[in-house]
């Protein structure tokens, strides 16, 4: 039986990864400091004897007893609002936290997969973005704390591979959506769905001509799983190339929720990339992977999930505060 450590286990992607590895018959250790994660995302796993949870901040020394076969390092705030609120933790988790995870992987002779991001391409001058593109990042802009930490993460991961012969994998994750996202994390999909559910206008930033390409979470998890088990040592983009403007996306959400909400335009946040679309040729070729769930289907599942939450759960999803962490 393989033993897998997932950091950021109570988060959106981390919790889906825990589910997947439990389903694959692995023993899963989930770790999270709960700064942005939510235990609700993994509470269904607590009764499972193959699942353990450690409440721990991976930016400090990490001790895990026993053997480890795989580490998936997914701990990090990952939305613009989060890393504006907690910039130093954002920098630490992908630098110090990644260093700790690489050290742990080395000590355990484990294979490690780190979660990188399309943000390492910044506001891209190449479209669609392929893995050979080095990016266009402003190190001191509001997104710099996330983008540069993730770039450092890739650099140190490659250094451990080259110097210590560590088995490493790097996934560059593009915009992903699905059940368990936080309603108040500022990302566009939960923002729009939350607004529709509360009967508010949908807030489109800028003129809405900026583009994104949204991947349904199950597709992403499948891509990550294949990458982990592959022998490919360099970064791979995983995302859905189906590109859409944010204005069109807002109209799709209004259509989906049948709410007749209006669209209001707000200032475009500083450093907001104008376009983003993954080139997934590598994933297709090396992992034989491509997305299978289109936006209509994925958005419906996601909307049904949010609609199915009780008022209390919805309130918690909207009002999770960072205060508990800082007390
Ligand atoms: N956005 C928007 N309205 C919102 C939230 C986000 O128009 O209420 C836009 C945001 O400016 C960006 C896009 O939606 O252009 C995607 O934003 P998100 O924060 O989800 O992720 P990003 O890809 O920018 O990291």
């Amino acid at each position: 039986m393989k033993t897998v450590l997932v950091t950021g286990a109570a988060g959106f992607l981390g919790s889906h990864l825990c589910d997947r590895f439990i389903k694959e018959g692995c023993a899963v250790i989930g770790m999270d400091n709960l700064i942005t994660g939510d235990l609700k995302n993994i509470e269904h796993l607590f009764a499972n004897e193959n699942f353990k949870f450690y409440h721990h901040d991976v930016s400090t020394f990490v001790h895990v007893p026993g053997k480890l076969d795989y580490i998936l390092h997914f701990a990090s705030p990952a939305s613009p609002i989060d890393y504006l609120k907690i910039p130093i933790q954002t920098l630490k988790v992908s630098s110090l936290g990644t260093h700790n995870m690489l050290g742990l992987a080395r000590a355990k002779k484990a294979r490690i997969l780190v979660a990188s991001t399309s943000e390492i391409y910044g506001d891209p001058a190449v479209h669609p973005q392929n893995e050979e593109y080095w990016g266009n990042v402003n190190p001191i802009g509001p997104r710099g704390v996330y983008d540069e930490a993730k770039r450092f993460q890739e650099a140190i991961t490659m250094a451990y591979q080259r110097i210590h012969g560590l088995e490493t994998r790097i996934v560059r994750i593009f915009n992903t959506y699905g059940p368990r996202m936080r309603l108040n994390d500022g990302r566009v999909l939960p923002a729009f769905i939350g607004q529709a559910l509360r009967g508010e206008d949908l807030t489109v930033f800028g003129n809405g001509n900026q583009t994104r390409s949204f991947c349904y979470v199950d597709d992403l998890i499948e891509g990550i799983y294949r990458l982990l088990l592959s022998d490919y040592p360099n970064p791979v983009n995983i995302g859905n190339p189906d590109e859409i403007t944010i204005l069109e996306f807002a109209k799709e959400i209004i259509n989906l929720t049948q709410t007749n909400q209006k669209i209001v335009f707000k200032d475009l946040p500083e450093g907001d990339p104008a376009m983003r679309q993954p080139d997934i040729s590598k994933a297709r070729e090396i992992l034989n992977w491509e997305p299978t769930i289109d936006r209509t289907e994925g958005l419906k599942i996601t909307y049904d999930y949010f609609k199915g939450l009780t008022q209390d759960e919805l309130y918690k999803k909207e009002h999770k505060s960072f205060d508990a962490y800082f007390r």
Side-chain angles (χ1 to χ4, degrees):
M1 186 188 234
K2 300 279 190 204
T3 306
V4 185
L5 170 66
V6 177
T7 76
F12 168 45
L13 296 182
S15 64
H16 284 281
L17 281 170
C18 290
D19 283 346
R20 175 64 188 257
F21 284 96
I22 286 288
K23 218 162 91 191
E24 297 291 340
C26 299
V28 174
I29 300 170
M31 195 175 277
D32 206 300
N33 65 358
L34 302 179
I35 183 169
T36 57
D38 186 351
L39 279 183
K40 187 110 193 100
N41 290 337
I42 45 171
E43 69 180 8
H44 58 284
L45 292 174
F46 278 79
N48 191 312
E49 59 177 18
N50 292 331
F51 183 75
K52 279 199 190 70
F53 178 72
Y54 292 173
H55 185 187
H56 183 73
D57 181 345
V58 298
S59 300
T60 63
F61 183 81
V62 176
H63 172 72
V64 175
K67 73 155 188 146
L68 273 184
D69 298 287
Y70 301 126
I71 297 175
L72 291 108
H73 183 34
F74 276 68
S76 174
S79 81
I81 280 200
D82 285 348
Y83 42 79
L84 284 177
K85 271 193 201 146
I86 42 174
I88 296 170
Q89 286 80 359
T90 303
L91 281 157
K92 282 168 74 177
V93 72
S94 288
S95 53
L96 307 181
T98 301
H99 187 211
N100 288 336
M101 284 305 127
L102 291 164
L104 183 65
R106 212 179 145 213
K108 301 283 184 184
K109 299 188 174 29
R111 180 179 294 181
I112 178 168
L113 181 147
V114 299
S116 189
T117 161
S118 54
E119 283 285 325
I120 64 107
Y121 299 122
D123 192 5
V126 163
H127 195 74
Q129 294 77 56
N130 59 44
E131 289 86 348
E132 279 66 47
Y133 178 49
W134 293 350
N136 177 32
V137 170
N138 174 3
I140 58 167
R143 289 175 181 244
V145 295
Y146 184 61
D147 302 6
E148 295 295 1
K150 288 293 187 180
R151 290 169 72 93
F152 173 85
Q153 178 186 61
E154 291 201 5
I156 192 172
T157 299
M158 293 306 290
Y160 266 70
Q161 181 192 114
R162 292 186 187 117
I163 297 296
H164 296 307
L166 195 68
E167 286 191 29
T168 65
R169 307 286 178 266
I170 299 174
V171 58
R172 290 187 181 151
I173 299 169
F174 283 66
N175 294 67
T176 302
Y177 68 96
R180 301 186 191 156
M181 295 184 94
R182 264 178 32 232
L183 266 187
N184 69 340
D185 76 355
R187 289 198 197 97
V188 66
L189 172 91
F192 286 171
I193 288 190
Q195 286 159 349
L197 284 172
R198 293 187 301 269
E200 297 167 6
D201 296 337
L202 269 59
T203 53
V204 166
F205 297 162
N207 59 14
N209 284 341
Q210 70 272 35
T211 68
R212 295 294 186 272
S213 310
F214 297 97
C215 184
Y216 185 66
V217 62
D218 289 359
D219 280 332
L220 183 97
I221 298 295
E222 179 62 29
I224 290 169
Y225 188 75
R226 290 188 193 196
L227 176 61
L228 176 73
L229 297 189
S230 80
D231 55 11
Y232 189 71
N234 294 322
V236 178
N237 289 340
I238 300 283
N240 190 325
D242 188 2
E243 187 180 9
I244 183 172
T245 68
I246 295 302
L247 184 57
E248 278 308 311
F249 189 57
K251 290 178 187 162
E252 280 191 6
I253 300 287
I254 290 170
N255 211 7
L256 167 79
T257 56
Q258 302 278 304
T259 46
N260 289 324
Q261 298 313 123
K262 284 202 294 293
I263 290 173
V264 292
F265 293 90
K266 300 254 166 153
D267 288 347
L268 189 69
E270 187 190 337
D272 200 288
M275 56 193 170
R276 189 182 285 151
Q277 184 194 33
D279 178 336
I280 59 165
S281 318
K282 268 212 169 71
R284 281 199 171 102
E285 186 191 325
I286 295 164
L287 311 177
N288 192 23
W289 174 89
E290 62 181 6
T292 58
I293 298 164
D294 68 18
R295 226 178 20 252
T296 314
E297 188 185 352
L299 286 181
K300 186 171 176 333
I301 302 169
T302 308
Y303 181 51
D304 287 347
Y305 163 79
F306 282 115
K307 255 193 337 196
L309 295 177
T310 62
Q311 281 306 317
D312 185 45
E313 287 165 337
L314 266 180
Y315 181 86
K316 283 192 186 132
K317 281 228 169 271
E318 279 165 28
H319 292 87
K320 179 177 167 59
S321 93
F322 297 108
D323 299 350
Y325 184 78
F326 293 110
R327 253 202 305 270

